[in-house]
Amino acid sequence: MSYTALYRKFRPDTFDEVKGQVPIVTTLRNQVKSSRLSHAYLFCGTRGTGKTTIARKMADIFKYLDILENGHLVEADRSMMVSPEMGQTAI
């Protein structure tokens, strides 16, 4: 019997399924609709707030739009950042 971590089993497939991040999802959705995408996004917060989930959804959108190639998604921990106050996931 194989084990699947809960965060992999229950990770949302679309922005509509992301819970508790309405302002962030709305902002990112509006940027995609208006074609005003930034060159970088930095998601910060405590564990379990959806940083990686939202970064993965944005990466999926960028790949679909042919903006992002495989290997350009960077996930860093605090030790790789300039300041320890910075977040943990960036695309």
Side-chain angles (χ1 to χ4, degrees), residues 12-19 25 29 57:
D13 291 325
T14 65
F15 272 152
D16 293 331
E17 296 175 4
V18 175
K19 304 294 181 204
V25 170
R29 201 179 264 153
K57 294 297 115 198

Side-chain angles (χ1 to χ4, degrees), residues 3-54:
Y3 173 76
T4 303
L6 289 176
Y7 73 91
R8 290 184 186 263
K9 185 175 180 180
F10 296 107
R11 178 166 280 156
D13 291 325
T14 65
F15 272 152
D16 293 331
E17 296 175 4
V18 175
K19 304 294 181 204
Q21 297 294 339
V22 175
I24 301 300
V25 170
T26 302
T27 301
L28 295 174
R29 201 179 264 153
N30 289 339
Q31 286 185 350
V32 171
K33 285 180 184 176
S34 66
S35 297
R36 298 188 71 196
L37 302 173
S38 179
H39 70 282
Y41 292 90
L42 181 65
F43 300 101
C44 61
T46 57
R47 287 182 2 180
T49 55
K51 298 177 300 291
T52 301
T53 298
I54 294 200

Side-chain angles (χ1 to χ4, degrees), residues 19 28 34 44 51 58-59 66-67 69 74 78 80 88:
K19 304 294 181 204
L28 295 174
S34 66
C44 61
K51 298 177 300 291
M58 287 300 291
D66 206 23
I67 296 171
E69 297 176 9
V74 177
R78 289 178 188 218
M80 296 175 67
Q88 298 175 342

